[in-house]
Amino acid sequence: MSRARVARRIAAAAAYGGGGIGLLGVGFAGVLLTEAKLAEHTLNTLQGEPPRADGVYGRDVAEGDAEPLVLGVLGDSTAAGFGANRARETLGALLAGGVASVGERPVRLSVAAVNGATSKDLERQVGLILPERPDVALIMIGANDVTQRVKVTHAVRMLGEAVRRMEAAGIKVVVGTCPDLGTIEPVRPPLRWLARRASRQLAAAQTIAVVEAGGRSVSLGDLLGPEFRGRPEMFASDRYHPSAQGYATAAMALLPSMCAVLDLWPGGLIEEHPDAFRGEGVLPVAQAAAEAAGRSGTEVVGAAVLGSESGPRGRWALLKHRRRRVLPETASVDAERDDPTGDDARSGNSHAVNADSGCT
């Protein structure tokens, strides 16, 4: 069965409350169980909590007394920045600084993401973020749903509900879908093959749920694979979570979509019309989701054809492969944290998403 059909079945089952489709469709037994235990032991070597990155970024690039944009970050350990040593190296801080630089407006960052979160925790996190009244929210979730074998229909339904709830409150939502766990080095065959299948199925189904709830998705796909392979500096000590350099790479994949949803990119560099030569186009959402699942940085957002949002094969979606461009340096960090150690991320040092990271 094609990935598009599987994703469509999962999303439909999630929408109607079904729960009988498993992430893998096969049990962990024998060598699979052994490999899973070995991988779990290897990946569980990083201790502590991620740096606290909440605060205001980019005051030095603001024009006048501009009111800060508000960025909320929800999800799991990667969304929280686990593996980074300083607050300014976390994904949320990098994105806040990048958005501030592009929009020439300060950004206040509020992070609700926590280590170990699955999609079940999104309801609680949305409750924490809503009072902050963010202009845009980033959700990164899914890896723990795979490793903890959460039923994919449950995970997808909870993500869709979270996106729908925030969109109804006037918050624009960007979702970084489940990364391809089959690219992580400590995960070996045959578990690697099953992890790849499970994570890509989940990512495709997440995309369908996100688009149908009014948000846009960005595939993280094999972000932790080819671009990181052979470069240990891109990983934290557990060889799974990104390091500061790894988070900068993830920010480059996500920042163009953050700019697009906020309509911030200067000089008309965001072009929403599809480029057929780059494999872009308006497709049924299940087909767009399947194509996006294996390619990092690919954005999927709802579209209309001849004034209609749906066709014979369901919801229409625009598939975009965002081009990367060099960004100006991000602004200095002016973030207040409850950090008695005096982390230098609070000291006002400048940081950059040294990005070849723009938009078409």
Side-chain angles (χ1 to χ4, degrees):
M1 185 180 295
S2 70
R3 186 183 300 158
R5 289 183 63 189
V6 170
R8 180 74 267 175
R9 284 182 58 206
I10 292 170
Y16 291 104
I21 302 175
L23 279 170
L24 294 176
V26 295
F28 282 79
V31 67
L32 295 182
L33 180 59
T34 301
E35 291 294 343
K37 292 297 183 183
L38 289 172
E40 181 181 5
H41 176 75
T42 302
L43 300 177
N44 197 30
T45 59
L46 197 60
Q47 303 299 319
E49 294 294 327
R52 293 186 61 185
D54 302 63
V56 178
Y57 294 76
R59 290 192 186 279
D60 58 341
V61 298
E63 294 184 351
D65 297 320
E67 189 71 17
L69 291 167
V70 181
L71 166 61
V73 178
L74 306 85
D76 55 23
S77 56
T78 303
F82 193 50
N85 293 320
R86 299 177 177 87
R88 62 188 173 92
E89 298 171 344
T90 64
L91 181 61
L94 290 167
L95 288 171
V99 169
S101 180
V102 172
E104 298 183 343
R105 184 174 172 182
V107 174
R108 180 164 61 84
L109 175 66
S110 180
V111 180
V114 293
N115 286 357
T118 67
S119 297
K120 295 177 182 178
D121 194 46
L122 288 178
E123 182 179 6
R124 182 191 67 84
Q125 293 185 26
V126 170
L128 294 175
I129 284 293
L130 284 178
E132 302 293 327
R133 302 180 65 85
D135 298 280
V136 61
L138 171 69
I139 302 176
M140 294 181 65
I141 202 76
N144 294 323
D145 291 294
V146 175
T147 60
Q148 297 181 33
R149 289 182 285 162
V150 176
K151 285 185 177 179
V152 66
T153 50
H154 293 175
V156 171
R157 183 170 63 253
M158 289 181 284
L159 173 60
E161 289 172 353
V163 174
R164 193 170 288 106
R165 186 177 170 192
M166 287 191 288
E167 289 281 345
I171 303 166
K172 298 174 180 177
V173 182
V174 176
V175 174
T177 57
C178 181
D180 183 350
L181 299 181
T183 63
I184 307 301
E185 288 299 328
V187 180
R188 300 184 299 176
L191 182 61
R192 177 178 297 173
W193 304 326
L194 297 179
R196 171 172 290 118
R197 178 187 171 199
S199 51
R200 290 192 176 187
Q201 283 183 359
L202 178 57
Q206 285 178 323
T207 291
I208 295 173
V210 168
V211 170
E212 292 185 342
R216 67 178 68 198
S217 72
V218 179
S219 171
L220 298 183
D222 55 1
L223 186 67
L224 301 183
E227 294 189 50
F228 283 25
R229 189 169 294 127
R231 300 182 63 189
E233 72 275 11
M234 303 294 276
F235 290 97
S237 60
D238 63 354
R239 295 188 293 156
Y240 175 63
H241 291 91
S243 64
Q245 289 171 273
Y247 279 119
T249 299
M252 289 192 290
L254 290 161
L255 185 58
S257 294
M258 303 292 289
C259 296
V261 78
L262 290 168
D263 196 23
L264 287 180
W265 208 272
L269 289 178
I270 291 182
E271 175 56 68
E272 293 303 327
H273 297 293
D275 183 346
F277 289 103
R278 302 184 62 226
E280 300 176 343
V282 175
L283 303 167
V285 65
Q287 184 180 344
E291 292 191 18
R295 181 171 176 179
S296 60
T298 304
E299 178 187 287
V300 180
V301 63
V305 175
L306 299 176
S308 176
E309 295 184 347
S310 298
R313 296 167 62 189
R315 183 75 163 84
W316 292 114
L318 172 63
L319 180 76
K320 291 285 291 181
H321 304 305
R322 295 289 185 186
R323 271 197 291 254
R324 299 177 180 180
R325 300 178 189 272
V326 176
L327 290 178
E329 285 195 357
T330 59
S332 62
V333 178
D334 179 16
E336 294 182 0
R337 296 170 197 75
D338 181 17
D339 181 1
T341 65
D343 188 309
D344 69 0
R346 188 170 55 180
S347 67
N349 293 339
S350 64
H351 71 283
V353 180
N354 188 13
D356 165 44
S357 103
C359 308
T360 54

